[in-house]
Amino acid sequence: MGTVEKAAASVEISEPLLQQVDDDDDSKNKDLPDEEFIPDWKHQITFRGLLVSALLGVLFCIITHKLNLTVGIIPSLNVAAGLLGFFFVKSWTALLSKLGLSVHPFTRQENTVIQTCVVACYGLAFSGGFGSYMLSMDEKTYKLIGEDYPGNRAEDVKNPGLLWMMGFTFVVSFLGLFSLVPLRKVMVLDYKLTYPSGTATAMLINSFHTSSGAELASKQVSCLGKYLSISFFWSCFKWFFSGVGDSCGFDNFPSLGLALYKNTFYFDFSPTYIGCGLICPHIVNCSVLLGAIISWGFLWPFVSRHAGDWYPADLGANDFKGLYGYKVFVAISLILGDGLYNLIKIIAITFKETCKISTRQKDLPIFKEVLDSETSKRLLEEKKRDEVFLKDRIPFWFAASGYVGLAAISTATIPIIFPPLKWYLVLCSYIIAPALAFCNSYGTGLTDWNLASTYGKIGLFIFASLVGSNGGVIAGLAACGVMMSIVSTAADLMQDFKTGYLTLSSARSMFVSQLVGTAMGCVIAPLTFWLFWRAFDIGSPDSPYKAPYAIIYREMAILGIQGFSELPKHCLELCLFFFAVAVAVNFLRDVTPKRVSQFIPIPMAMAVPFYIGAYFAIDMFVGTVILFVWERLNRKDAEDYAGAVASGLICGDGIWTIPSAVLSIFRINPPICMYFGPSSGS
């Protein structure tokens, strides 16, 4: 997230865009510079690597679900995935070596495969909609909105079920992987897109596999393990005081006083949110806090004072005709304003850069230049990467037939799972999806901003309005899932291709590891969600697991059908105002110099506390303050270890979720309720 940095597409095209490259064997490695042995693509994918990927996939799916079901903000866990993958396999090989057994060396290519597999797996915990569109269909969300709410029908309810969720994720999650495979050379080599997260991950993995980098990685793992233990035991300690209900324990500690506590301003001692604050950029954390101050500090108290005029004063706290409706719809307006602005901007950038590249291809001069030794070495390294990347080609016919075959299966299957979404609507989605996937992948390569959820919301509105009141809610939400899965996985695959290119990994091993990771995710993500679903009160506004986006997505579907006629008084005016604010703030971020724009808040981040509350914003701000002070005291240490500390805090709290869920399933309640209230004399 952040300002868009227009990546210069320094294109050096010396061959056709879709040139076919012969598939050679490992012997070709000896002709490459710098004499590094590069294993065949089949040997880059190992049993130990897949086992480690599955274990880490379970851990990161649990963490993603927890964040998705609580605040909806999910930081990048790529650093933790690469670091833990390196640690586990290195430990494995060291142990076997001590036992006198021969082991294959752990290469950066295998490390990259593990990273790709884990990210593909836990990515489905987000794009699978377990905290958003899929949960929007359940009975609890339907009842929260109101059984008499216009457009909210009892027929548009589908409660979570393990089998149908697995089936849905299987039929929609693989298409994005096949949609852009033929363009891998275009995106990575010819357009030279940066894919900042993929590049950063590659640099991290490359550094692990040097002597100095391995030493630093060992220290980072030790640091991660220490803070993981602290986080786990702190979460365990907190559990004993959390009692029964939603008002006990450290999670409801009025650390800033009871008056601010009533407006959700308190520090709740959450290692997860502090870790998120350490990982997320300062501007994201400050934007979240600013959104909390604007909404819970000023806007909602102002609206509350008009109870009885703007809305009936006797409504329940979760009635959409009252204050709750303002919270949800104003948050939606900020999200849509930010998302649509960035979507239009990135499509414009994509079109502009594509036209620029086409012009350069036509006017490319032919010349020879004298190269110094450093430039010559860099060009040889680039040539080596190009050869490795193009060596194991993925045939066009395979990608095309895979997409068509999977689309046919999905077109036949989805209407069985969601009858309101007819087969011809699913088919239309798959016809236009590759174009949208290209736009999103190109935009991600330029700006590192994956707008999959925005494409999903657009699909939600379009299909909900097309189907209408007779099933439009379910059809819109299901179509959102179809669109979101395709554009998200396509962008992730291209990012992984960039990582593989920079770590001298085979494109074929990247593609296969994405397939394997996605298959793992189709099983692990629903299973880990089911653990939460059975153990906790998911979706209740008074529960720690509020699932904020479930309400928001269902309301978007109803809006697509009903329009704005049923909003509370002055709610539409507030929504239009904040929509315009989101567009204007984004425009300011783009037109002002970087020294100014870096201090302008991000509307998407501001939107989250409008609905959820301010408590997690306090925690994330504590994390960003810790990082800020750390950077001032010792920037090198902060750069080296902040990610490890944050990952340890998030992972430790996430691991505690498993025993906590088991205790909840067996109805074992915490023994103590620590509660705070005003003293009798006040």
Side-chain angles (χ1 to χ4, degrees), residues 341-398:
Y341 176 89
N342 282 289
L343 176 64
I344 293 168
K345 179 183 71 177
I346 288 176
I347 289 174
I349 292 172
T350 300
F351 180 76
K352 179 181 176 182
E353 293 295 326
T354 306
C355 292
K356 191 186 296 183
I357 287 169
S358 300
T359 304
R360 285 178 181 172
Q361 289 181 36
K362 292 176 183 176
D363 302 335
L364 196 65
I366 300 174
F367 64 92
K368 292 184 179 180
E369 58 178 333
V370 179
L371 303 177
D372 58 38
S373 59
E374 192 63 32
T375 305
S376 179
K377 182 181 178 182
R378 181 179 57 80
L379 290 175
L380 285 172
E381 290 174 350
E382 187 173 321
K383 181 183 176 185
K384 177 180 181 178
R385 286 196 295 266
D386 291 353
E387 288 179 356
V388 172
F389 186 71
L390 295 170
K391 178 183 168 222
D392 296 313
R393 61 190 177 90
I394 302 166
F396 175 81
W397 66 264
F398 176 77

Side-chain angles (χ1 to χ4, degrees), residues 569-586:
K569 189 177 181 181
H570 298 303
C571 185
L572 179 58
E573 290 88 339
L574 283 172
C575 289
L576 291 173
F577 172 76
F578 279 99
F579 182 92
V581 166
V583 173
V585 169
N586 272 298

Side-chain angles (χ1 to χ4, degrees), residues 13-22 180-191 361 390 393-396 494:
I13 299 176
S14 57
E15 52 190 343
L17 291 181
L18 292 174
Q19 174 179 335
Q20 302 295 323
V21 180
D22 292 336
L180 294 185
V181 165
L183 298 180
R184 64 187 176 88
K185 178 179 180 293
V186 177
M187 306 286 261
V188 176
L189 297 188
D190 298 322
Y191 287 1
Q361 289 181 36
L390 295 170
R393 61 190 177 90
I394 302 166
F396 175 81
M494 284 299 159

